[in-house]
Amino acid sequence: MEPLSIVVLLVMGTIAGAINAAVGSGSLLTLPVLMAIGIPPGVAVRTNTVGMFFSTLGSCVGYRREIVAEKQHMPRLLATATVGATVGAILLLVSPASALDVVVPVLIVLALLLVVFQKRITRALRTRKGRGGAPSADDAPSGAAPTESAGKPESAENPESATGAIDASSERSPLQSKGLLGSLGAASVYGGYFTAAQGVLYLGILGVFTGRTMGSVNGIKNLMSLGVNLAAAVVYVVAFFLIDAEIVWIGSAAIAAGSLLGGFFGAHLAKRMPEWMLRGVIVVVALAALIRQFV
């Protein structure tokens, strides 16, 4: 690989890592570069997945406090992501590359619709289930202060903490619902298969099923992306040694170095972005991904 190509991958990996931490879909920057320098699509996906694993590692470090606040729900969510990603990675190894042209646009459109119409879909789901409950973070007044009872910690009164985490004692937690787990499992199959835009899918699904803001579920999204990328990377590395499934290691290393740095600093940037801006970035990235598929 030419030195200039390595430098370009390093720079694009840094930017992609920051985008992954905030939204997801950073691979839509690195994958085209890998293919532009002559790497076949299947090899490019494997090379990119191994490298972009480090972006999710960096973003999880940046979101470590938010992730710890959700630790009661993480084992189930991570198990779902790992199983789905493993299935998706194996599918990539055995399926024709042309299948990507059909699957990717459909799922990106679905993710875009989930993000744009999240509030309406959430209200419709709640109405259908006949569930009341407290208003979501989107509906809360911007200047509202949390209520406390004398002698009791805030967590005892509210099932949802200031970070948006839902108390594990709540049996009605949407993070434990079968619908959410099933949807995230399907998104994880896609994530293991292609990786790009999986974060947009996760944010759309989590927002719809929980009714929470994009920012408050970003830590969950980043940890699930870490599980997906790790599972897929392990499958590809094993396939490299067992069946000679090619990986361009120097390309993976360049992306890894840049994306680790970008993921860490991108996480801090994402936590300072207002909800409307984060949602707008998701829409722009998803539309760019669609255009990229058809150009």
Side-chain angles (χ1 to χ4, degrees):
M1 184 177 290
E2 296 292 329
L4 179 60
S5 298
I6 296 174
V7 172
V8 171
L9 284 174
L10 179 65
V11 173
M12 297 305 287
T14 304
I15 300 172
I19 292 175
N20 267 358
V23 179
S25 305
S27 291
L28 295 170
L29 295 179
T30 51
L31 268 175
V33 174
L34 288 168
M35 290 186 283
I37 61 179
I39 299 175
V43 179
V45 170
R46 294 191 289 273
T47 300
N48 182 71
T49 299
V50 172
M52 289 303 289
F53 159 72
F54 291 88
S55 80
T56 53
L57 185 62
S59 61
C60 283
V61 172
Y63 270 94
R64 59 191 179 278
R65 293 182 181 177
E66 290 78 6
I67 290 171
V68 169
E70 305 279 5
K71 63 182 179 181
Q72 301 92 338
H73 309 293
M74 288 309 179
R76 230 175 175 185
L77 295 173
L78 272 177
T80 301
T82 302
V83 172
T86 302
V87 171
I90 293 172
L91 283 175
L92 177 71
L93 293 173
V94 300
S95 64
S98 59
L100 293 171
D101 297 331
V102 178
V103 174
V104 173
V106 173
L107 289 176
I108 292 176
V109 168
L110 176 61
L112 184 59
L113 292 175
L114 288 175
V115 169
V116 172
F117 297 105
Q118 177 210 336
K119 294 181 181 179
R120 293 183 183 180
I121 297 172
T122 301
R123 283 196 295 267
L125 287 174
R126 287 178 175 176
T127 301
R128 183 176 180 181
K129 292 179 180 179
R131 292 172 58 181
S136 69
D138 282 342
D139 299 325
S142 58
T147 58
E148 295 187 26
S149 295
K152 292 185 179 181
E154 184 180 354
S155 60
E157 290 295 320
N158 299 322
E160 193 166 326
S161 70
T163 60
I166 299 176
D167 188 355
S169 62
S170 173
E171 295 181 358
R172 301 174 63 187
S173 170
L175 289 174
Q176 300 296 334
S177 71
K178 293 180 180 179
L180 174 67
L181 291 172
S183 299
L184 290 177
S188 298
V189 173
Y190 164 80
Y193 183 78
F194 187 59
T195 69
Q198 64 173 312
V200 176
L201 278 172
Y202 285 151
L203 285 176
I205 292 169
L206 287 165
V208 165
F209 278 92
T210 67
R212 290 161 57 179
T213 64
M214 300 285 105
S216 73
V217 296
N218 220 351
I220 301 174
K221 179 266 291 181
N222 285 328
L223 188 61
M224 290 198 64
S225 295
L226 174 66
V228 167
N229 283 13
L230 177 60
V234 168
V235 171
Y236 297 149
V237 171
V238 170
F240 172 80
F241 287 106
L242 294 183
I243 60 173
D244 294 324
E246 185 181 356
I247 296 173
V248 182
W249 291 106
I250 191 169
S252 291
I255 293 172
S259 66
L260 178 63
L261 185 65
F264 178 75
F265 287 105
H268 292 281
L269 176 63
K271 286 189 279 189
R272 290 167 174 77
M273 293 174 67
E275 173 73 6
W276 66 266
M277 184 179 293
L278 185 58
R279 198 180 295 272
V281 171
I282 294 172
V283 172
V284 170
V285 170
L287 288 175
L290 278 176
I291 293 171
R292 177 69 183 83
Q293 291 300 311
F294 294 108
V295 173

